[in-house]
Amino acid sequence: MKEQHISSAYDRDLDAITTLILKMGGLVEDAILQAAESLANRDVELAEKVRAGDKAIDALEMEISEAAARTIALRAPVSKDLRSVLTVLRLAAALERIGDYAKNMAKRTSVLVDMTPIAGAEASLRRMAREVQGMLKDTLDAYIKGDAQMAEDVRQHDQDVDQMYNALFREFLTFMMEDPRNITACMHLHFMAKNIERMGDLTTNMAEQVIYLITGEMPEEARPKSDRTSYMKEPE
């Protein structure tokens, strides 16, 4: 009876943490889309909303970390139960980082609104952001459903984001070579594209953690990657 009671208490703890993860995931999905929309619509107010909203994402990550630590200390989970708690911690850390990238995008929007638009760039960034948001939604759905195949599908989509990034990178180079006056705007746009590409990487890492949670093993095959510009690093 005591073991049953402990198991029931652990399940309640994990359910509560899962609810927080889903809430955090929803905020991050909104931040991704709104960061891209703020650029496309030259909406500084929306960009500021994304920046301010990052505090709520950070607070949820802290709340999840504290709840997970309490669960480990009080319930002493083992085997898959422990794996579940550790997975939650990793998902929360990745979501927090994705939120940071969305905030970084919003910061650059405030600068770009005063510059001449680069033809097609804003729409392309919005499509790329929507792709990553869809991957994130599928990853969270895979986590809730315990669906390893859905998580694996997310892994495979990462190369689509890489290809979109590579295409944008080449376009920005062309614009800069054609007219040096485009250099500043294109550099800002490039780093926004890189932010989105990194969001895709983090989302794919989350999908791999979901696979590990469900199967007990990390994927053996390296996920397909198509980013050929990884040498371009954004200053910290």
Side-chain angles (χ1 to χ4, degrees):
M1 290 293 293
K2 182 179 179 181
E3 290 181 358
Q4 187 176 22
H5 174 72
I6 292 174
S7 176
S8 177
Y10 166 79
D11 289 341
R12 288 196 300 272
D13 288 350
L14 187 60
D15 286 346
I17 296 172
T18 298
T19 298
L20 293 175
I21 279 286
L22 294 180
K23 181 178 180 181
M24 187 179 182
L27 291 178
V28 172
E29 285 185 46
D30 287 344
I32 294 170
L33 295 179
Q34 289 173 359
E37 290 290 337
S38 67
L39 175 64
N41 298 324
R42 303 260 155 170
D43 189 337
V44 176
E45 185 176 340
L46 182 57
E48 183 55 38
K49 178 182 176 182
V50 174
R51 295 175 65 178
D54 189 58
K55 293 179 180 178
I57 293 171
D58 290 345
L60 277 170
E61 195 267 340
M62 181 66 69
E63 186 176 355
I64 290 167
S65 295
E66 292 174 351
R70 282 197 305 272
T71 298
I72 292 173
L74 295 175
R75 314 302 178 198
V78 295
S79 189
K80 187 173 182 179
D81 288 342
L82 179 59
R83 200 159 70 235
S84 296
V85 179
L86 295 177
T87 296
V88 163
L89 286 169
R90 290 164 183 156
L91 295 182
L95 286 170
E96 189 275 335
R97 191 64 182 134
I98 294 171
D100 283 345
Y101 283 131
K103 179 179 68 174
N104 290 345
M105 288 177 63
K107 286 180 180 178
R108 292 184 185 276
T109 293
S110 300
V111 177
L112 284 163
V113 292
D114 295 323
M115 297 182 182
T116 302
I118 301 299
E122 294 163 358
S124 295
L125 284 170
R126 183 162 53 181
R127 285 194 298 272
M128 193 175 171
R130 285 174 177 168
E131 181 74 17
V132 170
Q133 180 269 332
M135 289 170 61
L136 179 55
K137 181 180 184 301
D138 287 346
T139 298
L140 294 171
D141 286 347
Y143 168 64
I144 293 300
K145 297 175 181 178
D147 191 332
Q149 184 56 55
M150 181 181 289
E152 177 58 31
D153 290 343
V154 171
R155 289 182 80 239
Q156 299 303 317
H157 277 301
D158 186 47
Q159 65 179 336
D160 296 336
V161 176
D162 289 343
Q163 289 167 357
M164 295 170 79
Y165 168 71
N166 291 337
L168 273 172
F169 180 76
R170 289 191 295 269
E171 287 180 20
F172 295 149
L173 284 179
T174 300
F175 277 112
M176 288 189 285
M177 288 187 292
E178 289 179 347
D179 188 343
R181 290 173 296 182
N182 292 328
I183 290 175
T184 300
C186 283
M187 289 302 294
H188 281 293
L189 290 165
H190 164 253
F191 285 129
M192 292 179 82
K194 190 63 180 175
N195 285 161
I196 300 173
E197 189 270 336
R198 288 173 175 171
M199 291 180 196
D201 286 343
L202 285 164
T203 301
T204 305
N205 291 343
M206 291 173 62
E208 291 177 343
Q209 289 299 323
V210 171
I211 292 171
Y212 173 67
L213 170 63
I214 297 166
T215 67
E217 297 179 354
M218 290 292 286
E220 292 183 2
E221 296 182 3
R223 67 179 184 256
K225 289 291 292 178
S226 299
D227 177 12
R228 303 292 183 240
T229 63
S230 57
Y231 61 88
M232 294 290 292
K233 298 296 184 183
E234 178 174 8
E236 295 294 336

